[in-house]
Amino acid sequence: MTLRLGYGTNGLTDLRLDDALGLLADLGYDGVGLTLDHMHLDPLAPDLATHTRKVARRLAGLGLGVTVETGARYVLDPRRKHGPSLLDPDPEARAARTALLVTAVEVAADLGAHAVHCFSGITPPGTTTDTAWQRLTGALEPVLDASDRAGVPLAVEPEPGHLLGTLAGFHHLRTLLGDPGSLGLTLDIGHCQCLEPASPADCVKEAAPWLRHVQIEDMRRGVHEHLPFGDGEIDFPPVLHALDHSGYTGLTVVELPRHSHAGPELARESIDFLRRATGTTNGAAPC
C-alpha cells in the first residue's frame, strides 16, 4: 500500500514539539498532524513567523509531511472549550475564529502543508438551524478566500454533535457555498463508525472525491470516544484498502487527543498496528 501515515500532536502534548517530531520520524511516520496550540506552535504568538520558519526547517530536516489542524481546546478562550466557534452569536467572536483559521492557512502555506483542518462547532442554544448555517458559511468565506490564494485546501471535518456532523452535512455546506474548489473534507474514520449509516470503508469510497485530510483511530458505534487501535469495533483492513484505492495522497493521521500521557508508546503501537493491517512491516513493500 501507498498510504502515508502520520500522528497528531494533540496526542503528544506532554512532549516539546521538537521532541515529538523527532519521535515520529524515528518511528517511521511519514508526517504529522500539527495542532496549532500554545504548547507547540502558538498561532497567537507575536513571533509566530519566526517559530513557523523553525518548524518548517525541522520538518524538512526530518523528511516529515504536515497537515495543520485547528482543534485546540482553549487556544482562543481559556474558559470555553473550542470557543468561540464559527457559530457564535457574537459577530466579533465568530470573526476571532475566522481570523485564527486564516492564520492557520498562512502557517500551512509556510510549512508546505497539504491541508488545513477545521470543524463547524456546536449550534448555540436558541439558534435555529438556518441561522447556524448562515453563520457558518459567512464565517468560512474569508478562510476559503485565503485558502484559494495560498493554494492550501480547507478540509472541514464532520464532528459528532456539531452542526456539520455527518458527510451529508458536508455536502450541504458545499452546496450552500457553491462548491468552491478550495473546500475539501477531513474524514475521521472513527466518526464514520460512530454515527454514519454506511460502513467506514464505504464512507471512504463515498467521500473520495473530496478527501483532503484523513484522521484515524478506533471507535465504537454510537460512542464518540477516540480509542487506540484494537479497543473499538472497526475492521481496519477494508478501510485502509479503500483509502489506498481512493486517490487520496495526503496523510492519514492517528487521532488520539486524550491519550497524551501515553503518547510515545501509543505512537509506536499505532504505527505497528497500521503496518500489520496494511500488510507492511518496517515501511517495506506489501507482502
Side-chain angles (χ1 to χ4, degrees):
M1 290 191 178
T2 58
L3 295 181
R4 299 172 60 225
L5 301 177
Y7 200 93
T9 59
N10 60 1
L12 295 169
T13 56
D14 289 86
L15 278 67
R16 298 177 183 86
L17 180 56
D18 195 63
D19 292 336
L21 297 179
L23 169 74
L24 298 182
D26 288 345
L27 290 173
Y29 281 95
D30 301 294
V32 59
L34 175 57
T35 296
L36 302 184
D37 207 349
H38 64 89
M39 76 289 290
H40 284 156
L41 185 56
D42 186 350
L44 303 183
D47 51 356
L48 176 60
T50 299
H51 286 299
T52 300
R53 286 192 293 270
K54 180 180 178 182
V55 174
R57 290 193 296 269
R58 178 66 166 157
L59 289 167
L62 294 171
L64 292 174
V66 62
T67 304
V68 169
E69 301 195 354
T70 62
R73 294 182 179 93
Y74 296 99
V75 67
L76 288 177
D77 188 330
R79 293 173 176 82
R80 285 193 297 161
K81 182 181 177 183
H82 299 311
S85 79
L86 296 169
L87 309 180
D88 199 287
D90 181 354
E92 292 186 2
R94 292 199 301 277
R97 178 61 62 174
T98 294
L100 177 69
L101 294 180
V102 170
T103 296
V105 169
E106 295 167 350
V107 168
D110 290 341
L111 293 178
H114 70 76
V116 171
H117 147 278
C118 73
F119 44 62
S120 69
I122 297 169
T123 303
T127 303
T128 67
T129 300
D130 285 346
T131 297
W133 283 109
Q134 289 170 10
R135 289 176 185 168
L136 180 60
T137 55
L140 281 179
E141 284 172 352
V143 187
L144 290 165
D145 289 343
S147 294
D148 190 55
R149 292 192 301 270
V152 181
L154 184 69
V156 180
E157 178 188 9
E159 183 78 22
H162 285 209
L163 173 69
L164 198 162
T166 63
L167 286 172
F170 169 74
H171 292 303
H172 183 58
L173 178 66
R174 280 200 312 117
T175 300
L176 290 175
L177 288 168
D179 201 14
S182 52
L183 177 65
L185 171 70
T186 292
L187 186 68
D188 187 300
I189 300 304
H191 295 173
C192 297
Q193 175 69 21
C194 179
L195 52 70
E196 293 286 352
S199 71
D202 285 341
C203 287
V204 171
K205 296 171 187 176
E206 176 192 336
W210 300 278
L211 283 183
R212 300 297 179 267
H213 183 40
V214 174
Q215 297 172 344
I216 193 166
E217 70 286 316
D218 216 338
M219 204 169 286
R220 301 186 182 99
R221 185 70 179 170
V223 182
H224 184 204
E225 182 181 2
H226 291 235
L227 299 172
F229 298 114
D231 288 0
E233 301 170 340
I234 299 176
D235 182 15
F236 281 98
V239 176
L240 298 170
H241 184 270
L243 278 171
D244 193 46
H245 288 77
S246 68
Y248 173 67
T249 58
L251 293 170
T252 297
V253 173
V254 178
E255 184 80 357
L256 293 173
R258 296 184 180 180
H259 292 77
S260 185
H261 63 283
E265 182 63 18
L266 280 172
R268 183 189 62 77
E269 292 176 358
S270 295
I271 197 168
D272 288 348
F273 178 94
L274 291 170
R275 284 169 171 166
R276 291 193 301 270
T278 57
T280 65
T281 56
N282 297 323
C287 299

